[in-house]
Amino acid sequence: MSLANVVVIGAQWGDEGKGKITDLLSRSADMVVRYQGGVNAGHTIVVDEKVLKLHLIPSGILYPETICLIGSGTVVDPKVMLLEIDMLLENNIDISGLQIASNAHVTMPYHRLLDQAMEQQRGAQKIGTTGRGIGPTYADKAQRNGIRIIDLLNEQRLRERLTGPLAEKNELLKTIYGVEPLKADKVIEEYLSYGERISPHVVECSRAIHTAARNKKNILFEGAQGTLLDLDHGTYPFVTSSNPVSGGACIGAGVGPTLIDRVIGVAKAYTTRVGEGPFPTELEGSINDQLCDRGGEFGTTTGRRRRCGWFDGVIGRYAVEVNGLDCLAITKLDVLDELEEIKVCVAYELNGNRIEHFPSSAEDFAKCKPIFKSLPGWQCSTEDCRRLEDLPSTAMNYLRFLAELMEVPIAIVSLGASRDQTILVEDPIHGPKRALLNS
């Protein structure tokens, strides 16, 4: 069996079910690398009827032999990460394979306070951030004013690095937002205690990955959020503060593109997004409620109710292009089981013209009206299907239509939250690239 290094990305606005797919693919991986985002991401995994919710730690941690590396492109809230570590230990899950990049940036308490204050001040123009301090952490990183994991391991270095930023942030919090300033000694004491606990897991990110690559290990790169939330290529300004697209794996992990063998996209059988921003296929009324309730569409990180809509083939094709997708995993097909009719957006109408591409202008995107193709539903349960032959013919036709519309084959079909509720059409890592469900 040939080896492969694989990137898994979200092909919509996030919340596509990447956690389950990453968990599935981690069985073939020696190392799983989370390459961007922070605790604004979240994924739910069901193991032996136990529901585990993770925000930073890759789902590959469930496999004792798998190294799980939080890469340098992530921003780490050590308080949240330690809560996850404790949760895993309470469930008797071995965390000896957990590694944290020494040069990953740290979300500090002033980042959370600023994030929440700025979002509140935006009022009607709010972006819909999670309020977890992700944007301000990345802003400090870009301004070369950030605190990194390695700084938490040395009191003198942390004190020196924190003095300027904390003074600046306290002035902002007090003068602009009317928020009580933070005390330096208290922050230093708290974060040094975090550093002490995580120090056994700290590694040099790029070196760890390249050592694994030289030893012919399988490496799985895991993105957070989704393509349409990408800072450069998403529905700006309603985006995250990093690059979830596949190219972000190279920067956030410290590897060259020649190390990547395959890119797998994850998409729901319908579309959701959380927070603000245009959403052409968004539904209202009973069908929206039905999708939300059957799909359990509530954010892992915030608990916010997700907005639901029909599958959008325009953003799907865009995701295929900007990520260079080799194949797709379609999740939550079972959520559509009860519907008599299912619609798929095949194009948009913009200013009276039909367009089949994703517009870069947020104003144009907000004006886009979906052009739908209607397909018959199957109106029977698919939850117990474990092979393609078990699926109703109309469900198979729906999957074929999506594959043809997006011009990329489907390798995995997920029909529920549990590990076993999955149809593996073809080995997505080692199978032939174009010989999957595509016709």
Side-chain angles (χ1 to χ4, degrees):
M1 182 178 286
S2 60
L3 298 171
N5 300 321
V6 178
V7 182
V8 178
I9 61 93
Q12 295 162 322
W13 274 285
D15 308 311
E16 300 96 345
K18 294 184 297 298
K20 177 184 174 180
I21 302 304
T22 303
D23 174 50
L24 175 70
L25 299 177
S26 294
R27 300 174 188 177
S28 302
D30 300 298
M31 173 182 276
V32 179
V33 181
R34 165 79 180 275
Y35 62 82
Q36 50 76 222
V39 298
N40 54 340
H43 49 260
T44 301
I45 300 165
V46 180
V47 182
D48 298 329
E49 298 185 356
K50 288 183 179 179
V51 177
L52 304 178
K53 295 186 177 183
L54 299 171
H55 300 274
L56 278 168
I57 298 176
S59 56
I61 198 68
L62 302 177
Y63 299 95
E65 303 301 319
T66 302
I67 298 298
C68 289
L69 172 57
I70 298 173
S72 54
T74 60
V75 291
V76 178
D77 187 326
K79 183 176 182 179
V80 174
M81 184 171 61
L82 287 168
L83 288 173
E84 290 187 25
I85 287 174
D86 290 340
M87 181 267 292
L88 292 169
L89 291 173
E90 288 169 8
N91 283 276
N92 298 314
I93 294 170
D94 181 11
I95 63 159
S96 60
L98 176 64
Q99 298 182 348
I100 305 160
S102 59
N103 55 344
H105 280 249
V106 178
T107 296
M108 302 296 289
Y110 48 78
H111 292 135
R112 291 190 295 269
L113 292 172
L114 284 169
D115 195 1
Q116 294 160 15
M118 288 188 293
E119 184 74 345
Q120 184 176 10
Q121 191 178 70
R122 292 184 185 107
Q125 303 301 315
K126 65 181 180 179
I127 296 171
T129 77
T130 62
R132 300 300 200 271
I134 308 304
T137 310
Y138 275 114
D140 272 1
K141 176 180 179 178
Q143 292 173 344
R144 301 171 295 282
N145 209 19
I147 304 297
R148 302 192 298 174
I149 288 290
I150 198 170
D151 299 326
L152 305 187
L153 309 184
N154 181 287
E155 181 176 355
Q156 181 179 349
R157 184 166 56 220
L158 179 59
R159 194 174 292 276
E160 290 173 355
R161 296 284 171 87
L162 190 62
T163 299
L166 184 57
E168 175 191 330
K169 298 304 189 294
N170 274 340
E171 187 66 27
L172 276 173
L173 289 169
K174 181 180 178 181
T175 306
I176 305 298
Y177 300 109
V179 177
E180 190 71 21
L182 298 163
K183 298 185 184 301
D185 287 340
K186 186 176 180 180
V187 173
I188 290 169
E189 181 182 2
E190 178 184 358
Y191 278 73
L192 282 174
S193 71
Y194 297 152
E196 185 177 0
R197 278 199 65 189
I198 66 175
S199 60
H201 302 281
V202 176
V203 300
E204 294 181 13
C205 178
S206 182
R207 183 179 178 186
I209 295 171
H210 284 283
T211 297
R214 281 195 298 272
N215 290 326
K216 307 298 183 183
K217 302 296 186 181
N218 284 339
I219 305 171
L220 181 64
F221 298 89
E222 175 187 21
Q225 290 94 30
T227 299
L228 275 296
L229 291 179
D230 188 272
L231 179 61
D232 292 297
H233 305 290
T235 50
Y236 191 89
F238 304 102
V239 292
T240 193
S241 303
S242 58
N243 295 108
V245 296
S246 61
C250 295
I251 298 170
V255 301
T258 53
L259 190 70
I260 307 300
D261 296 303
R262 184 169 296 204
V263 183
I264 301 173
V266 185
K268 280 177 184 165
Y270 49 102
T271 310
T272 64
R273 77 172 299 177
V274 67
E276 307 300 319
F279 185 5
T281 67
E282 184 171 11
L283 287 161
E284 295 180 353
S286 61
I287 298 181
N288 173 75
D289 294 341
Q290 186 175 355
L291 292 179
C292 187
D293 293 341
R294 279 184 58 84
E297 298 297 353
F298 298 90
T300 304
T301 299
T302 64
R304 289 182 291 184
R305 185 182 178 93
R306 295 176 186 138
R307 300 155 64 190
C308 295
W310 297 120
F311 190 93
D312 190 329
V314 179
I315 66 169
R317 286 193 300 268
Y318 176 72
V320 171
E321 292 172 352
V322 297
N323 292 292
L325 295 187
D326 292 298
C327 60
L328 275 172
I330 297 293
T331 64
K332 294 195 174 184
L333 182 69
D334 57 297
V335 175
L336 305 179
D337 282 352
E338 297 178 355
L339 298 178
E340 182 179 353
E341 179 188 41
I342 302 170
K343 294 183 179 181
V344 177
C345 174
V346 296
Y348 298 144
E349 181 187 318
L350 175 62
N351 299 325
N353 299 313
R354 178 188 173 107
I355 64 169
E356 297 183 357
H357 65 274
F358 169 67
S360 58
S361 162
E363 290 75 20
D364 284 345
F365 190 53
K367 297 175 186 176
C368 286
K369 297 178 181 178
I371 298 173
F372 287 118
K373 166 77 173 178
S374 292
L375 291 93
W378 40 97
Q379 295 186 284
C380 63
S381 177
T382 59
E383 291 182 358
D384 295 326
C385 296
R386 297 294 179 269
R387 304 174 304 163
L388 283 179
E389 307 90 87
D390 298 334
L391 289 172
S393 60
T394 43
M396 281 291 295
N397 290 338
Y398 181 69
L399 291 172
R400 288 193 180 98
F401 184 81
L402 297 187
E404 291 170 1
L405 179 65
M406 295 178 66
E407 299 180 348
V408 70
I410 294 171
I412 301 170
V413 180
S414 175
L415 302 152
S418 297
R419 281 178 173 178
D420 66 328
Q421 292 180 298
T422 309
I423 298 173
L424 196 61
V425 182
E426 178 63 77
D427 184 339
I429 295 180
H430 302 103
K433 282 195 173 188
R434 307 302 292 187
L436 311 176
L437 177 64
N438 59 359
S439 61

